[in-house]
Amino acid sequence: MSEKILVVDDEHDIADLLEVYLRNENYTIYKYYSAKEALACIESKEIDLAILDIMLPDINGFSICQKIREKHTYPIIMLTAKDEETDKITGLTLGADDYVTKPFRPLELIARVKAQLRRYNKYSPTQKQDMPATVLTYKKLSLNTQTYECVLDGEIVPLTPTEFSILRILLEKQGVVVSLEDLFHSVWKDEYYSKNSSTITVHIRHLREKLKDTAEKPKYIKTIWGVGYKI
């Protein structure tokens, strides 16, 4: 069964080009040139990944990203027309998993789509393997690597696949500092990722918020300045 991908971009040439490349990879595509149509699709269709342009004529991509994250954890890739750090950080803060700056090479975007889907399919409960679960624990936090459940003080904490992967790595290397470079390689494993610390920083910020943690007085995730993070 092919994965279903939502593509939203008001530049018809770009949306149509993405549709061609993604269909060639046997994905099912829901393509829209406006946010209004896309929002209706989000409510009525099952989606495995969304590619959202930030600049849309009616509602911007950030708002669509927020709407998706209210109910869904599937990967979101943002398209930005300018290489601005603020756009990237805003998208990541709202729950996006990755961003691509226009103009981009279609094959690079396809590689990113595949990487995100691999992580999401591994994370999805429907893909669980019939094997003993490994439960990683620290203080009141536990992470089940088979059911992909995060529990803090008896309550389920909803995590995106990227957040789960980062937390899993930190728990597996408990007490050891994990460098930004090692964290990038362990989570994404893709050479096209630039070593931009803001990506990891925003995901760490999300994790801290969900774990009711702070950078100033960390109970779980501690920043080792100039090096990386550790639990």
Side-chain angles (χ1 to χ4, degrees):
M1 184 176 180
S2 66
E3 285 102 335
K4 302 172 181 63
I5 298 179
L6 172 67
V7 175
V8 189
D9 197 318
D10 65 321
E11 294 185 64
H12 291 216
D13 290 347
I14 292 178
D16 295 347
L17 181 65
L18 286 177
E19 181 181 30
V20 169
Y21 272 85
L22 291 166
R23 285 194 188 282
N24 284 342
E25 298 293 331
N26 297 316
Y27 296 124
T28 299
I29 310 302
Y30 301 124
K31 178 187 67 177
Y32 301 99
Y33 304 125
S34 71
K36 185 177 180 181
E37 293 176 308
L39 288 170
C41 175
I42 290 165
E43 294 297 327
S44 61
K45 303 287 188 182
E46 289 187 5
I47 296 171
D48 296 296
L49 181 143
I51 300 173
L52 310 175
D53 184 27
I54 291 177
M55 302 300 291
L56 295 168
D58 44 358
I59 303 171
N60 64 38
F62 295 139
S63 297
I64 303 176
C65 180
Q66 282 182 298
K67 190 69 176 177
I68 290 172
R69 283 291 173 255
E70 288 176 5
K71 297 181 180 179
H72 306 286
T73 60
Y74 55 75
I76 299 173
I77 298 175
M78 306 295 295
L79 301 180
T80 173
K82 45 187 184 292
D83 190 12
E84 288 193 3
E85 195 72 6
T86 52
D87 279 349
K88 296 173 182 178
I89 292 175
T90 299
L92 292 168
T93 301
L94 295 174
D97 297 276
D98 196 5
Y99 50 80
V100 176
T101 303
K102 296 179 180 178
F104 55 84
R105 291 173 294 176
L107 291 179
E108 178 185 349
L109 181 57
I110 295 300
R112 296 193 183 210
V113 166
K114 289 181 177 179
Q116 292 294 339
L117 286 172
R118 280 197 301 271
R119 189 177 308 116
Y120 180 61
N121 289 335
K122 182 178 178 182
Y123 173 91
S124 174
T126 60
Q127 302 295 325
K128 294 174 191 172
Q129 300 293 322
D130 186 18
M131 63 177 66
T134 298
V135 179
L136 305 170
T137 61
Y138 180 77
K139 294 184 179 180
K140 297 181 179 180
L141 175 67
S142 68
L143 204 68
N144 188 308
T145 62
Q146 182 187 10
T147 63
Y148 288 87
E149 286 182 336
C150 177
V151 178
L152 177 65
D153 199 14
E155 295 186 3
I156 297 290
V157 180
L159 300 178
T160 66
T162 302
E163 292 165 357
F164 186 95
S165 296
I166 292 173
L167 186 57
R168 177 177 181 170
I169 291 163
L170 293 175
L171 282 169
E172 287 176 340
K173 299 185 177 182
Q174 200 173 126
V176 177
V177 181
V178 183
S179 70
L180 290 171
E181 185 173 354
D182 286 345
L183 210 47
F184 257 109
H185 177 73
S186 298
V187 174
W188 284 283
K189 299 181 178 66
D190 294 286
E191 294 300 325
Y192 58 75
Y193 276 91
S194 62
K195 294 177 176 62
N196 187 330
S197 62
S198 65
T199 303
I200 294 290
T201 301
V202 174
H203 287 302
I204 292 289
R205 186 191 309 158
H206 283 179
L207 279 169
R208 283 181 171 143
E209 290 172 355
K210 293 181 178 183
L211 299 179
K212 301 174 184 177
D213 204 5
T214 65
E216 294 75 20
K217 295 182 179 180
K219 293 180 289 184
Y220 297 102
I221 302 174
K222 183 177 182 180
T223 301
I224 308 300
W225 296 107
V227 183
Y229 300 93
K230 77 171 183 178
I231 283 184

